[in-house]
Structures are given as structure tokens and as C-alpha cells.
Amino acid sequence: MNFKQSELTQQVAQTAKDFALQYIKPHLMEWDESQEFPLHIFKEMGKLGLMGVFVPEEYGGSGMGYFEYNVAIQEIAKVCGSIGLSLAAHNSLCTGHILAFGNDEQKKKYLPQLATAEYLGAWGLTEANTGSDAGNMKTTAVKDGDDWVLNGTKCWITHGKSGDVAVVVCRTGEPRAKDNSTAFVVERGTPGFSAGKKENKLGMRASETAEMIFDNCRIPDANRLGNVGAGFKQSMKVLDGGRISIAALSLGIAKGAYEASLQYAQERHQFDQPIANFQGISFKLADMATEIAAAELLINQACYLKMNGLPMTKEAAMAKYYASEVAVKVSTDAVQIFGGYGYTKDFPVEKFYRDSKLCTIGEGTSEIQKLVISREVLR
């Protein structure tokens, strides 16, 4: 495996870095405090091709791969995890699901607008009582002539309120039965489709998280993605790629916290010398650097396998599990290095600390990742 960055990957990283520093950094705490979802930022990223990374050029996208996607999310997340999270959810979940399982007509209808961020995407699997237990979901889709009628509520949905297009996985069979769910595309404005409660969160506060409610929402069979009953299997494949997204998000947060700590430890003086000279601090920095490097290798391995069409369920789960735990540990140590200043909003690490925790929960908890990994190694 050769992980040397191509010229294209380097260009994408620099573009994302420059954008984050110019357009996101000056406003990130304002958005965090007010929980404002800065939709205009995603429109601007659409112009740069960052909202349709995987979408082929024939559908108006950038036609790039996972290495480019990985560095784009990292560079955004090094500045703001919230924007990185929304970038990831739009690309890998909603857009990725349609790209992977939509027919040509559906791709032509939705991908060009998603790739440019004319449409913002949402993806609905999780429910209040069926997070990891997706096979027991309560949201149903019932066939009625040439239509489907959707009823139920999805929660913890990124862009659940502002998303223009949502891919929604509904139960079309009996609870816990095999192949009992189906995926559909639902457009905002469809009668019976509305937004519910917007969550008030610990971190990732500028990334919108809200309920999606379906009340006798009628959609045509043309909005069905793939075969009836294939929704859960599709979702698991989508989440394999999504785990790379969250791993990249985690790594970006960890790198942001580490770089801030490295600079602070060399500038902050105690006992007439930089605190970086003290072993208690320097060893923390050593651990941070080592864990970040290990997480990056796991992510690159998953990207390589994904790009070469090789099995990567285990590797994606490993990358997501390890990188997300590293993000929490590194940001925790960053707060410790900053001391009292790290606990204030005048310095960046408290936000990395708050944002990092979501990475161990979203798109499959750390415990679920260990379940996936253990099943793969015990086959």
C-alpha cells in the first residue's frame, strides 16, 4: 500500500485548509454559541466541489476518491468539527446512498443538485428507540397502488430540518424479519414530511441535528432506491464508507487539538521556561503524536481498500473506532495542557473537547464498532 499523497490530494487539502481559515474560523464560536447552522458555507463549498466529492463528473460532481475526501474533511475539522460533520453526512450518507443504489434516472434527478449544494442532503435511519437496533424500526412504508405511504419519526438526523432531499430507510416487513426495510428518497415540501425537534447539543452545535416526521407522507414508487427489502443491507454498505468519514472527522479534530497544544506548550512559560520542557507535558505531546499517526495509517488503509474495491468492513470499523477514541483522548489532554485557559472559550481546545465526543457515538458507537470488528476476526 502506497499512502504517498498525490498532487490532486495535496491540492484538495490546501483548498479545504484555505477555505476553513478564511470562511469558517472567524465565525466558528459565534455559530457554536448561537447554534446557527451556516447553510451559506455549504453553498460556497459546493462551488469548490467539496459537496460532491464522489459524484462522477457526468452528474456534475468532482469525481474524486476517498483519499481526497479524507483530507478535505480533516482540514475542515481541524478548524471546526461541526462543519466537518455536516460535510461528511451530506457526501457519504445521502449523496453516497443515491450514488451507490439509485438508478440512472434517480442519479440524474438528484446528484447534480446535491453535488453543487443546490440541494442539501439528509439521511434517516436512526429512531428514538432503535439506534443500533435498526431491524426493529417503527417508521413504516406501506404500498398503496403505485405509491408508498410513510409514517413514523426519525431522530438525530443531520440536516433533518434544512435538508432538501432525504434518503429514508423504512420498515416494509415485519419487525426483526429478514430483509424488512426499504430505502426511499423524499423531497422537502412533500405533504406529510416535516421537521420536528432540533437538538440542543453538547458539541457539534453548528451542525443541525433534528427529527424528521412522516405523517401519511405519500411518495411514488419511482422514489424507491433499489429492491424492496434491501434497505438494511444498503445502509450497512453506506455506513462502511461513512465510518471512514467519521474517522477522518475524528482525526481532524485530534490534529487541531494537538497543533494548538504544541504551539501553546512552547509559548507558555512556568518556572522561567516553556512548559514543553517538562516531562509531564512533553510525554503528553508524544502520546498525541503517536496516536494521531496510528489513526492516520488505519484511515489510509481503509481508504486504499475502498478505492480498490476490496473488502473493508473490518478496517473501516477499526479506523472509526480508534480515531474517534483518539480524538477524545487528544482533546482531553489538550485541555489539560492549557490548564485553566483550556476550560475557557477564549482558547480553541474546549470546543475540540466538546465536539470530539460525538465521534465515538455517531454512525455506530465505539461498542458497535468493536462488535463489527470482533465478528469479522472471528469468522
Side-chain angles (χ1 to χ4, degrees), residues 201-252:
K201 299 173 298 183
L202 168 72
M204 301 291 192
R205 289 165 62 84
S207 177
E208 178 187 279
T209 306
E211 293 177 328
M212 295 193 302
I213 300 170
F214 303 92
D215 182 10
N216 291 320
C217 177
R218 183 177 291 271
I219 57 173
D221 188 57
N223 286 35
R224 172 171 48 86
L225 288 167
N227 295 329
V228 174
F232 183 75
K233 290 179 180 177
Q234 291 177 7
S235 298
M236 293 305 100
K237 291 179 181 178
V238 168
L239 285 171
D240 274 349
R243 285 166 183 153
I244 295 176
S245 303
I246 302 302
L249 176 69
S250 303
L251 184 59

Short mmCIF file of all heavy atoms in Angstrom, two decimals, residues 201-252:
data_model
loop_
_atom_site.label_atom_id
_atom_site.label_comp_id
_atom_site.label_asym_id
_atom_site.label_seq_id
_atom_site.Cartn_x
_atom_site.Cartn_y
_atom_site.Cartn_z
N LYS A 201 -27.29 20.49 21.73
CA LYS A 201 -26.23 19.52 21.94
C LYS A 201 -25.04 20.07 22.73
O LYS A 201 -24.79 21.26 22.76
CB LYS A 201 -25.74 19.00 20.58
CG LYS A 201 -26.82 18.30 19.76
CD LYS A 201 -26.31 17.97 18.36
CE LYS A 201 -25.96 19.21 17.59
NZ LYS A 201 -25.54 18.94 16.21
N LEU A 202 -24.27 19.13 23.27
CA LEU A 202 -23.02 19.45 23.96
C LEU A 202 -22.01 20.05 23.00
O LEU A 202 -21.38 21.07 23.26
CB LEU A 202 -22.44 18.16 24.57
CG LEU A 202 -21.00 18.22 25.08
CD1 LEU A 202 -20.93 19.03 26.37
CD2 LEU A 202 -20.46 16.82 25.30
N GLY A 203 -21.81 19.39 21.87
CA GLY A 203 -20.85 19.83 20.86
C GLY A 203 -21.46 19.73 19.48
O GLY A 203 -22.64 19.46 19.32
N MET A 204 -20.65 19.97 18.47
CA MET A 204 -21.12 19.97 17.08
C MET A 204 -22.36 20.86 16.94
O MET A 204 -23.31 20.53 16.23
CB MET A 204 -21.44 18.54 16.61
CG MET A 204 -20.29 17.58 16.68
SD MET A 204 -19.00 17.98 15.47
CE MET A 204 -18.00 16.49 15.54
N ARG A 205 -22.34 21.99 17.60
CA ARG A 205 -23.55 22.79 17.75
C ARG A 205 -23.92 23.57 16.49
O ARG A 205 -25.06 24.01 16.35
CB ARG A 205 -23.38 23.74 18.95
CG ARG A 205 -23.42 23.01 20.28
CD ARG A 205 -22.90 23.87 21.43
NE ARG A 205 -23.70 25.05 21.65
CZ ARG A 205 -24.82 25.11 22.38
NH1 ARG A 205 -25.30 23.99 22.94
NH2 ARG A 205 -25.45 26.24 22.55
N ALA A 206 -22.98 23.73 15.57
CA ALA A 206 -23.29 24.42 14.32
C ALA A 206 -23.67 23.43 13.21
O ALA A 206 -23.91 23.83 12.08
CB ALA A 206 -22.12 25.28 13.87
N SER A 207 -23.74 22.15 13.56
CA SER A 207 -24.24 21.13 12.63
C SER A 207 -25.66 20.78 13.08
O SER A 207 -25.86 20.33 14.20
CB SER A 207 -23.35 19.88 12.66
OG SER A 207 -23.88 18.88 11.82
N GLU A 208 -26.60 21.01 12.20
CA GLU A 208 -28.01 20.84 12.56
C GLU A 208 -28.37 19.37 12.76
O GLU A 208 -28.09 18.53 11.91
CB GLU A 208 -28.88 21.43 11.46
CG GLU A 208 -30.37 21.27 11.68
CD GLU A 208 -31.15 21.72 10.45
OE1 GLU A 208 -31.35 22.94 10.32
OE2 GLU A 208 -31.51 20.87 9.63
N THR A 209 -28.99 19.07 13.90
CA THR A 209 -29.47 17.73 14.21
C THR A 209 -30.93 17.84 14.62
O THR A 209 -31.26 18.53 15.58
CB THR A 209 -28.66 17.11 15.37
OG1 THR A 209 -27.27 17.15 15.04
CG2 THR A 209 -29.07 15.66 15.61
N ALA A 210 -31.82 17.17 13.88
CA ALA A 210 -33.26 17.35 14.13
C ALA A 210 -34.04 16.10 13.76
O ALA A 210 -33.53 15.20 13.09
CB ALA A 210 -33.79 18.56 13.34
N GLU A 211 -35.29 16.07 14.19
CA GLU A 211 -36.20 14.98 13.83
C GLU A 211 -36.74 15.18 12.42
O GLU A 211 -36.90 16.32 11.96
CB GLU A 211 -37.38 14.93 14.79
CG GLU A 211 -37.04 14.54 16.22
CD GLU A 211 -38.25 14.60 17.12
OE1 GLU A 211 -39.13 15.46 16.88
OE2 GLU A 211 -38.33 13.80 18.06
N MET A 212 -37.07 14.08 11.77
CA MET A 212 -37.84 14.11 10.53
C MET A 212 -39.11 13.30 10.78
O MET A 212 -39.05 12.15 11.21
CB MET A 212 -37.06 13.50 9.36
CG MET A 212 -35.83 14.29 8.97
SD MET A 212 -35.11 13.82 7.36
CE MET A 212 -34.77 12.08 7.59
N ILE A 213 -40.26 13.95 10.52
CA ILE A 213 -41.55 13.34 10.84
C ILE A 213 -42.31 13.04 9.55
O ILE A 213 -42.38 13.89 8.65
CB ILE A 213 -42.38 14.28 11.75
CG1 ILE A 213 -41.61 14.54 13.06
CG2 ILE A 213 -43.75 13.69 12.02
CD1 ILE A 213 -42.22 15.62 13.93
N PHE A 214 -42.87 11.84 9.50
CA PHE A 214 -43.66 11.41 8.34
C PHE A 214 -45.06 11.05 8.81
O PHE A 214 -45.24 10.15 9.63
CB PHE A 214 -42.98 10.22 7.65
CG PHE A 214 -41.58 10.52 7.21
CD1 PHE A 214 -40.50 10.24 8.06
CD2 PHE A 214 -41.33 11.11 5.99
CE1 PHE A 214 -39.21 10.55 7.68
CE2 PHE A 214 -40.03 11.42 5.61
CZ PHE A 214 -38.98 11.14 6.45
N ASP A 215 -46.03 11.79 8.30
CA ASP A 215 -47.42 11.60 8.70
C ASP A 215 -48.25 11.38 7.44
O ASP A 215 -48.64 12.34 6.77
CB ASP A 215 -47.91 12.83 9.48
CG ASP A 215 -49.35 12.68 9.96
OD1 ASP A 215 -49.91 11.57 9.87
OD2 ASP A 215 -49.91 13.69 10.43
N ASN A 216 -48.48 10.11 7.12
CA ASN A 216 -49.17 9.76 5.88
C ASN A 216 -48.52 10.46 4.68
O ASN A 216 -49.20 11.05 3.83
CB ASN A 216 -50.66 10.11 5.96
CG ASN A 216 -51.40 9.19 6.93
OD1 ASN A 216 -51.14 7.99 6.97
ND2 ASN A 216 -52.30 9.76 7.71
N CYS A 217 -47.21 10.40 4.65
CA CYS A 217 -46.42 11.02 3.58
C CYS A 217 -46.43 10.08 2.37
O CYS A 217 -45.89 8.98 2.41
CB CYS A 217 -45.01 11.28 4.07
SG CYS A 217 -43.91 11.97 2.82
N ARG A 218 -47.02 10.56 1.29
CA ARG A 218 -47.19 9.72 0.10
C ARG A 218 -46.14 10.08 -0.96
O ARG A 218 -46.01 11.23 -1.35
CB ARG A 218 -48.60 9.93 -0.47
CG ARG A 218 -48.94 9.06 -1.69
CD ARG A 218 -50.37 9.28 -2.13
NE ARG A 218 -51.32 8.75 -1.15
CZ ARG A 218 -51.78 7.49 -1.17
NH1 ARG A 218 -51.39 6.66 -2.13
NH2 ARG A 218 -52.63 7.09 -0.25
N ILE A 219 -45.42 9.06 -1.39
CA ILE A 219 -44.40 9.25 -2.43
C ILE A 219 -44.57 8.18 -3.49
O ILE A 219 -45.05 7.07 -3.21
CB ILE A 219 -42.97 9.19 -1.85
CG1 ILE A 219 -42.71 7.86 -1.14
CG2 ILE A 219 -42.70 10.37 -0.93
CD1 ILE A 219 -41.28 7.66 -0.70
N PRO A 220 -44.18 8.46 -4.73
CA PRO A 220 -44.32 7.46 -5.80
C PRO A 220 -43.29 6.35 -5.68
O PRO A 220 -42.22 6.53 -5.08
CB PRO A 220 -44.10 8.29 -7.07
CG PRO A 220 -43.24 9.43 -6.64
CD PRO A 220 -43.66 9.75 -5.22
N ASP A 221 -43.59 5.21 -6.27
CA ASP A 221 -42.66 4.08 -6.26
C ASP A 221 -41.35 4.44 -6.96
O ASP A 221 -40.31 3.83 -6.69
CB ASP A 221 -43.31 2.87 -6.94
CG ASP A 221 -42.46 1.61 -6.79
OD1 ASP A 221 -42.16 1.22 -5.65
OD2 ASP A 221 -42.07 1.04 -7.83
N ALA A 222 -41.37 5.45 -7.82
CA ALA A 222 -40.16 5.90 -8.50
C ALA A 222 -39.12 6.44 -7.52
O ALA A 222 -37.94 6.55 -7.87
CB ALA A 222 -40.51 6.99 -9.53
N ASN A 223 -39.55 6.76 -6.30
CA ASN A 223 -38.62 7.27 -5.28
C ASN A 223 -37.97 6.15 -4.47
O ASN A 223 -37.17 6.42 -3.57
CB ASN A 223 -39.35 8.21 -4.31
CG ASN A 223 -39.64 9.55 -4.94
OD1 ASN A 223 -39.91 9.64 -6.13
ND2 ASN A 223 -39.61 10.60 -4.14
N ARG A 224 -38.32 4.92 -4.77
CA ARG A 224 -37.71 3.77 -4.06
C ARG A 224 -36.30 3.54 -4.58
O ARG A 224 -36.06 3.50 -5.79
CB ARG A 224 -38.58 2.54 -4.26
CG ARG A 224 -37.96 1.25 -3.74
CD ARG A 224 -38.94 0.09 -3.76
NE ARG A 224 -39.65 -0.02 -5.04
CZ ARG A 224 -39.16 -0.68 -6.10
NH1 ARG A 224 -37.97 -1.24 -6.04
NH2 ARG A 224 -39.87 -0.75 -7.22
N LEU A 225 -35.36 3.36 -3.65
CA LEU A 225 -33.97 3.09 -4.01
C LEU A 225 -33.70 1.58 -3.96
O LEU A 225 -33.69 0.98 -2.89
CB LEU A 225 -33.01 3.81 -3.06
CG LEU A 225 -32.93 5.34 -3.20
CD1 LEU A 225 -32.20 5.95 -2.01
CD2 LEU A 225 -32.22 5.71 -4.50
N GLY A 226 -33.52 0.98 -5.11
CA GLY A 226 -33.24 -0.45 -5.13
C GLY A 226 -34.46 -1.30 -4.86
O GLY A 226 -35.61 -0.83 -4.91
N ASN A 227 -34.22 -2.55 -4.54
CA ASN A 227 -35.31 -3.50 -4.35
C ASN A 227 -36.00 -3.33 -3.01
O ASN A 227 -35.40 -2.87 -2.03
CB ASN A 227 -34.78 -4.94 -4.45
CG ASN A 227 -34.25 -5.26 -5.83
OD1 ASN A 227 -34.75 -4.73 -6.83
ND2 ASN A 227 -33.25 -6.12 -5.91
N VAL A 228 -37.26 -3.72 -2.97
CA VAL A 228 -37.99 -3.78 -1.69
C VAL A 228 -37.28 -4.78 -0.79
O VAL A 228 -36.94 -5.89 -1.20
CB VAL A 228 -39.46 -4.20 -1.92
CG1 VAL A 228 -40.17 -4.40 -0.58
CG2 VAL A 228 -40.19 -3.17 -2.77
N GLY A 229 -37.02 -4.37 0.45
CA GLY A 229 -36.36 -5.25 1.41
C GLY A 229 -34.85 -5.11 1.46
O GLY A 229 -34.19 -5.72 2.30
N ALA A 230 -34.29 -4.28 0.59
CA ALA A 230 -32.83 -4.16 0.52
C ALA A 230 -32.28 -3.00 1.35
O ALA A 230 -31.08 -2.75 1.36
CB ALA A 230 -32.38 -3.99 -0.93
N GLY A 231 -33.16 -2.29 2.06
CA GLY A 231 -32.75 -1.07 2.75
C GLY A 231 -31.67 -1.26 3.79
O GLY A 231 -30.73 -0.46 3.89
N PHE A 232 -31.78 -2.32 4.60
CA PHE A 232 -30.80 -2.51 5.68
C PHE A 232 -29.43 -2.86 5.11
O PHE A 232 -28.41 -2.32 5.55
CB PHE A 232 -31.27 -3.60 6.64
CG PHE A 232 -30.36 -3.81 7.81
CD1 PHE A 232 -30.34 -2.90 8.86
CD2 PHE A 232 -29.50 -4.89 7.86
CE1 PHE A 232 -29.48 -3.07 9.94
CE2 PHE A 232 -28.64 -5.08 8.93
CZ PHE A 232 -28.63 -4.17 9.97
N LYS A 233 -29.40 -3.76 4.13
CA LYS A 233 -28.12 -4.13 3.52
C LYS A 233 -27.47 -2.93 2.85
O LYS A 233 -26.26 -2.74 2.93
CB LYS A 233 -28.33 -5.26 2.52
CG LYS A 233 -28.69 -6.60 3.17
CD LYS A 233 -28.91 -7.69 2.14
CE LYS A 233 -29.26 -9.01 2.83
NZ LYS A 233 -29.55 -10.09 1.83
N GLN A 234 -28.29 -2.12 2.18
CA GLN A 234 -27.76 -0.89 1.58
C GLN A 234 -27.15 0.01 2.65
O GLN A 234 -26.05 0.56 2.48
CB GLN A 234 -28.86 -0.14 0.84
CG GLN A 234 -29.39 -0.82 -0.40
CD GLN A 234 -30.54 -0.04 -1.02
OE1 GLN A 234 -30.86 1.08 -0.60
NE2 GLN A 234 -31.15 -0.60 -2.05
N SER A 235 -27.88 0.16 3.75
CA SER A 235 -27.43 1.05 4.82
C SER A 235 -26.10 0.61 5.40
O SER A 235 -25.23 1.43 5.70
CB SER A 235 -28.48 1.13 5.92
OG SER A 235 -29.69 1.65 5.43
N MET A 236 -25.92 -0.70 5.57
CA MET A 236 -24.66 -1.20 6.13
C MET A 236 -23.50 -0.90 5.19
O MET A 236 -22.39 -0.58 5.64
CB MET A 236 -24.77 -2.70 6.39
CG MET A 236 -25.75 -3.08 7.50
SD MET A 236 -25.44 -2.25 9.09
CE MET A 236 -26.67 -0.93 9.06
N LYS A 237 -23.73 -0.99 3.89
CA LYS A 237 -22.67 -0.66 2.92
C LYS A 237 -22.38 0.84 2.93
O LYS A 237 -21.23 1.26 2.83
CB LYS A 237 -23.07 -1.13 1.54
CG LYS A 237 -23.07 -2.66 1.40
CD LYS A 237 -23.50 -3.11 0.02
CE LYS A 237 -23.51 -4.63 -0.08
NZ LYS A 237 -23.98 -5.11 -1.40
N VAL A 238 -23.44 1.64 3.03
CA VAL A 238 -23.26 3.09 3.12
C VAL A 238 -22.48 3.45 4.37
O VAL A 238 -21.57 4.30 4.34
CB VAL A 238 -24.63 3.81 3.11
CG1 VAL A 238 -24.48 5.28 3.49
CG2 VAL A 238 -25.29 3.68 1.74
N LEU A 239 -22.77 2.78 5.48
CA LEU A 239 -22.10 3.07 6.74
C LEU A 239 -20.64 2.64 6.73
O LEU A 239 -19.82 3.22 7.46
CB LEU A 239 -22.84 2.41 7.91
CG LEU A 239 -24.14 3.10 8.32
CD1 LEU A 239 -24.91 2.24 9.33
CD2 LEU A 239 -23.88 4.48 8.90
N ASP A 240 -20.29 1.64 5.94
CA ASP A 240 -18.87 1.30 5.81
C ASP A 240 -18.07 2.51 5.34
O ASP A 240 -17.02 2.83 5.90
CB ASP A 240 -18.69 0.15 4.81
CG ASP A 240 -18.85 -1.23 5.44
OD1 ASP A 240 -18.90 -1.30 6.68
OD2 ASP A 240 -18.95 -2.22 4.69
N GLY A 241 -18.58 3.17 4.30
CA GLY A 241 -17.92 4.39 3.82
C GLY A 241 -18.06 5.52 4.81
O GLY A 241 -17.14 6.32 5.00
N GLY A 242 -19.23 5.59 5.46
CA GLY A 242 -19.47 6.63 6.45
C GLY A 242 -18.52 6.56 7.62
O GLY A 242 -18.16 7.59 8.22
N ARG A 243 -18.08 5.36 7.96
CA ARG A 243 -17.13 5.21 9.07
C ARG A 243 -15.78 5.82 8.73
O ARG A 243 -15.09 6.34 9.61
CB ARG A 243 -17.00 3.73 9.44
CG ARG A 243 -18.21 3.22 10.20
CD ARG A 243 -18.28 1.71 10.29
NE ARG A 243 -19.53 1.34 10.98
CZ ARG A 243 -20.17 0.20 10.81
NH1 ARG A 243 -19.69 -0.70 9.96
NH2 ARG A 243 -21.28 -0.06 11.48
N ILE A 244 -15.41 5.76 7.45
CA ILE A 244 -14.19 6.45 7.04
C ILE A 244 -14.38 7.95 7.24
O ILE A 244 -13.46 8.66 7.67
CB ILE A 244 -13.85 6.12 5.58
CG1 ILE A 244 -13.50 4.64 5.42
CG2 ILE A 244 -12.69 6.99 5.09
CD1 ILE A 244 -13.24 4.21 3.99
N SER A 245 -15.57 8.45 6.93
CA SER A 245 -15.87 9.87 7.12
C SER A 245 -15.68 10.30 8.57
O SER A 245 -15.04 11.32 8.86
CB SER A 245 -17.32 10.18 6.72
OG SER A 245 -17.59 9.82 5.41
N ILE A 246 -16.26 9.52 9.49
CA ILE A 246 -16.18 9.89 10.91
C ILE A 246 -14.76 9.71 11.43
O ILE A 246 -14.31 10.46 12.30
CB ILE A 246 -17.19 9.09 11.75
CG1 ILE A 246 -18.62 9.32 11.23
CG2 ILE A 246 -17.11 9.50 13.21
CD1 ILE A 246 -19.06 10.77 11.23
N ALA A 247 -14.04 8.73 10.90
CA ALA A 247 -12.64 8.57 11.27
C ALA A 247 -11.84 9.80 10.83
O ALA A 247 -11.02 10.32 11.59
CB ALA A 247 -12.07 7.31 10.63
N ALA A 248 -12.09 10.28 9.60
CA ALA A 248 -11.40 11.48 9.11
C ALA A 248 -11.78 12.70 9.93
O ALA A 248 -10.94 13.55 10.25
CB ALA A 248 -11.73 11.70 7.64
N LEU A 249 -13.07 12.80 10.27
CA LEU A 249 -13.54 13.89 11.13
C LEU A 249 -12.82 13.85 12.48
O LEU A 249 -12.36 14.88 12.99
CB LEU A 249 -15.05 13.75 11.32
CG LEU A 249 -15.75 14.71 12.27
CD1 LEU A 249 -15.75 16.12 11.70
CD2 LEU A 249 -17.19 14.25 12.52
N SER A 250 -12.73 12.66 13.06
CA SER A 250 -12.05 12.48 14.35
C SER A 250 -10.59 12.89 14.25
O SER A 250 -10.05 13.56 15.14
CB SER A 250 -12.14 11.01 14.78
OG SER A 250 -13.47 10.55 14.85
N LEU A 251 -9.95 12.46 13.18
CA LEU A 251 -8.53 12.77 13.01
C LEU A 251 -8.31 14.27 12.86
O LEU A 251 -7.35 14.82 13.40
CB LEU A 251 -7.98 12.02 11.79
CG LEU A 251 -6.47 12.15 11.54
CD1 LEU A 251 -5.67 11.66 12.74
CD2 LEU A 251 -6.08 11.37 10.28
N GLY A 252 -9.20 14.93 12.13
CA GLY A 252 -9.09 16.38 12.00
C GLY A 252 -9.19 17.09 13.34
O GLY A 252 -8.41 18.00 13.64
#
